[in-house]
Amino acid sequence: MNLFRSTALGLILTTGLATLPLSASATEDNVSGDPNYTLEAPPAYAMMGDLLIARPLLIAGTIVGVAAFIVSLPFSALGGNVEEAADALIGTPGREAFVRCLGCTSSEKPYGQARQDSQGQY
């Protein structure tokens, strides 16, 4: 059983290392037509890091932000800044987790603004 595990692990690692240059060269030409990808054109390693590391952390941050917002809601309501607290604790990590394109660095530009910048009209 131990020989099978080590052989399978070696095969998986060898296959992954052998196909790494292929996946890196596949993203040189951006032909998706999506304005967000056209503006930034993220490489494959950025997409993989975003998918495996950043997105789960941002989703967890959004969940923690919801809990913090619920706890701080009475104080925010007394201070009159409920919208600002909701945007800071829930909106910002939620936009970065669910709206930002895969591998892009920021979701500061809304989708319509990115389309207008890339096409010159809209």
Side-chain angles (χ1 to χ4, degrees):
M1 187 76 168
N2 193 12
L3 178 64
F4 176 72
R5 286 185 192 171
S6 61
T7 305
L9 182 63
L11 182 62
I12 290 170
L13 290 176
T14 305
T15 305
L17 288 174
T19 59
L20 187 62
L22 295 175
S23 64
S25 66
T27 61
E28 289 178 8
D29 294 329
N30 181 16
V31 293
S32 69
D34 186 4
N36 290 331
Y37 284 117
T38 304
L39 290 175
E40 292 197 25
Y45 64 86
M47 290 182 183
M48 290 300 294
D50 191 14
L51 178 69
L52 298 176
I53 298 170
R55 297 294 169 121
L57 289 175
L58 286 167
I59 292 169
T62 304
I63 293 169
V64 170
V66 167
F69 175 72
I70 291 171
V71 169
S72 71
L73 187 59
F75 308 108
S76 299
L78 287 174
N81 61 344
V82 175
E83 291 85 15
E84 291 87 359
D87 186 53
L89 295 173
I90 301 170
T92 301
R95 274 190 302 276
E96 293 296 321
F98 298 109
V99 176
R100 179 173 52 96
C101 66
L102 191 63
C104 293
T105 56
S106 179
S107 67
E108 289 180 11
K109 283 189 177 182
Y111 185 75
Q113 181 69 31
R115 174 172 282 185
Q116 180 182 6
D117 290 345
S118 68
Q119 296 177 352
Q121 62 199 23
Y122 183 56

